[in-house]
Every structure is written in C-alpha cells, then in structure tokens.
Amino acid sequence: MTNQQFEPFYDVNLTYDDNYRRGPFGQFAQALAGEASALKGEAAASNSGTMDSAATSESAPATDETAATHATPTEPATVLGFPVNLPFGIPAGPLLNSRFTTAAFRMGFDLAVYKTVRSRAWGCNPFPNVLAVHPKAADGSLTPGSPELDEGVLADTRYDLPISISNSFGVPSRDPDVWQPDMRDAIAAAGPGQLLVPSFQGSRVAGMSTDEYIADHVATARLVCETGAQLMEMNTSCPNEGHNRLLCHDPHLVGRITEAVKNEIGDRPLIVKLAYFPSDIELETMVRETVGHGTAQGFSTINTISAKLVDASGNQALPGEGRDRSGVCGNAIRGAGLDMVRRLSAIRERLGLDFAIIGVGGVIEPEHYLAYREAGADAVMSATGAMWDATLARRIKAAIGA
C-alpha cells in the first residue's frame, strides 16, 4: 500500500504487462484524458467550422494546460544540440510506451526516455518487480561498497516518502513490430522544447559470440533509427552480461560496441547509460574508450545500486531464483549519483573533452535538480521521484522561475 498523497503513474501492485496495457495511472492518466478532450473539441470545431461557447469552456482547461507545458522560454537550454525548455525529464525505466512518454511531456517533463528496447521480444522478471526499500541510515541513503549491500536491506510494501524502491524487471521488451510504430508515435508527441530519447541495448543469448553480441547492438540501433529518432541512449548498466554482471564494467567492450553503433547511426548523438563506478581509473578508461574516440557524445548516470534485499525475517524479499539482489533506486542513491556526476565532470575538464552528462538518481525535490546541475550535470532526470510525484517537473520550474 502507498500512504502518501500521490498515486504513482506506474502501479506497483500490477504486473509489468498490465501496466503496459492499462497505464499510465494517476495524474499521467488525467493528462492524457485532458489532451483527448482537447483534441475532441478541436475536431468538432473543425467539422462545424466553429465551436460553441459550451465546447470552448469544456476544452479550455486542457488546452491551456498543454500550452503552458509547451511554452518555450526566451533562451531555452540545449541538450546535445537540441533545444529544451528545461533540461529535466524521466530516464529509461518507467516510461513503458508512447502513452507514458506523451503523458510525461504533457506534465512538463521536457526530456522523456522511451523504455529500453531490444532486437527481439524479451520477457519481464516475475511479479513483484517493485518493493519499498528501507536502508538503515537516518537519511535513507545507501553507500556504494558498504557492508549493508551484502548483508541485506529491508524491502516490503510500505511505500513511505522520501521513496526508495527495488527495480527488478530484467529489461523486458516488445517485439520491434510493436515498439517501432509506438516509438514513432512517442517521438511525434513531443511538443516545442521537448525531446524523446529512445533507449536500446543488445541482447546476449546462449552461445552468442562477442562479434554477434556487438552485431545485435548495431541491429537494434538500426531499428531505432528507422523510427526517425534524432539521438539515442545505449543501456550498459543493467545485468545484461549475466547474473549481476554489467556491460559497463568492461569499458573496452563498450568502446568496441559504441564504435560499431556509431558507424551505423551516423551523426545522431549517442548517450551511454552507466552504473556507479567505484574507481576513477575505470571511469576515465570508459571516457577514453568512447568519447575519446568520438563514438559517444554523452553519459547518463547512474542507474541503480545493487543490494541484497530481505524481508523482516531476513529472508529473500523478491521471489525466484537469482533474485536475491536487485537494483535500488530513488532517494537511497542520490549521493552516489551526485558523486558520479562530479567525478565525470572532473574527468571532462581534466581531459579537455566535450560530452554531455545527464545526472540521474534520487531527484525528489527541486533542490535535488539544482544540486545535480551544480555538480556538473548538463541535464537531470528522475524516475522514482517522478513516478510518485507527477508534478515534479512543474515544481522545479516554479522553484527556479522557468
């Protein structure tokens, strides 16, 4: 049960497939309903050549809200050369399809990352996928490398604010025949000063060689290009190399993959999604192997922090083999996300390289957005915070006068 005033736009009490089919929920659903009412009114006016006073009154609130959301400041920010009203949005994860991304745009999130897609259909981990996570620290934070991550962190269904949750989905994907037309719709729904960012990854299957794995990344990037995408993000931060193994922990392989992908996508900017790196040496190696060779133009970081999750009795919290650990996101990982952004920013300055940094992790309040910008982030995103507070983008804009 949730015990706060917000209804998450992703319903944690439903399966992933139910959310995909029926979502989004809460204020995201209301935003879509308002847009549908506005479009219906416009169609009626077009058919009749005029709109009576009652129709004008009924559709005006939704139209005004959409206009306010899409209002472009005099001097918009840019992300990788693309103008955006505010460099803030929602990262890959909770935006499952074009309904979710469109609702995000209508609620004022000017960057929306379409859930990571693959070259083939891929199933989701068993339900439940989301649990509330309660670290021991008074501020609810988790520290990378701390014993608590291996000893066990309490996880249950008590969703308190500030919110931290498990992220145990397994990077599901529809077949390209499904996600390609839907991604086209998602791209088309962006308003002025808004940007849809597709996320993709390669899929490693049993018996696949490294060359075949690289080729699958290229094939998936090609499929994304076919939707009309102007840029894309490559996910290297999920356990796509096997149980608890992350592709981004092999910078040399990521370098090979980004080179092959960049040859396929041409001038489109490529963002690489990273997990937390404890070592500055490995992080700098990642930068040199990608940006240093001109094969990536930005990094998005962080995704989650892996932790052993236990229930109140100390038993495995998420059911099923291989699910003793899960990625944790939300309030618990803000410190780690800020740390990665600061370190990437320092490497960028030290090496004299030009690349974008997108800060992700634990953004729940407007001051968290500002903290990421001060740390060196060119753009900021919130997944868990936005899920529980659909008004977050509007609150940030109000706080900074955007």
Side-chain angles (χ1 to χ4, degrees):
M1 297 293 293
T2 59
N3 63 353
Q4 68 286 330
Q5 59 180 311
F6 304 114
E7 179 185 359
F9 66 72
Y10 180 99
D11 190 336
V12 299
N13 298 308
L14 296 177
T15 66
Y16 176 87
D17 285 339
D18 280 342
N19 272 277
Y20 187 98
R21 286 191 294 264
R22 296 164 52 186
F25 301 94
Q27 291 188 57
F28 268 36
Q30 294 171 24
L32 291 181
E35 179 183 66
S37 296
L39 291 174
K40 188 175 181 179
E42 291 170 7
S46 175
N47 291 335
S48 64
T50 185
M51 183 181 292
D52 62 31
S53 59
T56 303
S57 173
E58 181 179 355
S59 63
T63 304
D64 290 347
E65 177 179 290
T66 301
T69 299
H70 289 169
T72 305
T74 304
E75 295 182 4
T78 60
V79 176
L80 291 165
F82 298 96
V84 294
N85 300 326
L86 182 75
F88 179 69
I90 301 178
L95 301 182
L96 310 190
N97 53 44
S98 63
R99 293 193 308 279
F100 284 80
T101 57
T102 300
F105 287 139
R106 302 304 172 250
M107 290 301 297
F109 296 89
D110 295 320
L111 295 168
V113 184
Y114 192 103
K115 178 82 175 78
T116 304
V117 296
R118 298 175 181 263
S119 62
R120 66 200 74 190
W122 201 272
C124 183
N125 285 346
F127 180 85
N129 309 103
V130 175
L131 292 175
V133 177
H134 310 282
K136 296 175 183 176
D139 64 355
S141 64
L142 288 174
T143 303
S146 66
E148 181 180 11
L149 300 178
D150 296 320
E151 294 169 357
V153 182
L154 176 63
D156 55 27
T157 56
R158 181 169 50 89
Y159 297 95
D160 296 323
L161 296 178
I163 188 73
S164 296
I165 61 172
S166 67
N167 179 344
S168 178
F169 290 90
V171 199
S173 174
R174 261 40 184 186
D175 186 89
D177 287 346
V178 175
W179 65 251
Q180 277 192 306
D182 188 67
M183 186 177 286
R184 292 188 188 99
D185 291 342
I187 293 170
Q194 297 184 324
L195 184 62
L196 191 287
V197 183
S199 174
F200 77 98
Q201 73 173 55
S203 301
R204 186 184 284 280
V205 297
M208 179 178 278
S209 69
T210 298
D211 286 346
E212 290 170 332
Y213 185 45
I214 294 173
D216 190 68
H217 280 83
V218 173
T220 312
R222 184 183 308 120
L223 292 169
V224 172
C225 288
E226 291 172 359
T227 69
Q230 296 176 291
L231 77 169
M232 63 189 73
E233 175 181 287
M234 189 175 83
N235 178 22
T236 70
S237 57
C238 290
N240 37 16
E241 294 293 284
H243 183 52
N244 291 324
R245 292 173 56 204
L246 308 183
L247 173 58
C248 64
H249 290 166
D250 188 345
H252 300 290
L253 180 54
V254 173
R256 290 181 61 190
I257 294 173
T258 57
E259 180 180 9
V261 167
K262 193 63 177 164
N263 286 337
E264 176 65 36
I265 69 175
D267 292 336
R268 294 175 180 84
L270 177 64
I271 303 164
V272 178
K273 183 70 174 284
L274 300 177
Y276 184 83
F277 278 58
S279 165
D280 278 351
I281 295 175
E282 290 184 0
L283 185 56
E284 183 171 324
T285 300
M286 172 64 75
V287 173
R288 290 181 179 276
E289 291 285 337
T290 54
V291 175
H293 294 294
T295 60
Q297 287 65 53
F299 296 104
S300 177
T301 188
I302 62 177
N303 191 330
T304 64
I305 292 179
S306 176
K308 178 183 178 182
L309 299 185
V310 297
D311 61 20
S313 301
N315 299 317
Q316 180 176 319
L318 288 165
E321 184 179 354
R323 300 183 77 198
D324 55 316
R325 302 184 71 90
S326 171
V328 174
C329 50
N331 179 69
I333 70 169
R334 184 167 55 256
L338 285 166
D339 178 58
M340 273 286 285
V341 168
R342 292 189 189 100
R343 290 160 57 208
L344 265 177
S345 181
I347 291 171
R348 177 171 61 183
E349 183 175 356
R350 185 170 66 252
L351 299 183
L353 293 172
D354 180 21
F355 60 88
I357 300 173
I358 302 172
V360 187
V363 178
I364 297 172
E365 299 292 342
E367 55 262 35
H368 302 154
Y369 166 83
L370 294 173
Y372 268 99
R373 294 303 304 272
E374 291 168 3
D378 301 284
V380 184
M381 293 189 180
S382 171
T384 307
M387 279 173 63
W388 258 260
D389 180 8
T391 68
L392 182 56
R394 292 174 178 174
R395 289 204 296 128
I396 292 173
K397 289 176 178 178
I400 66 176

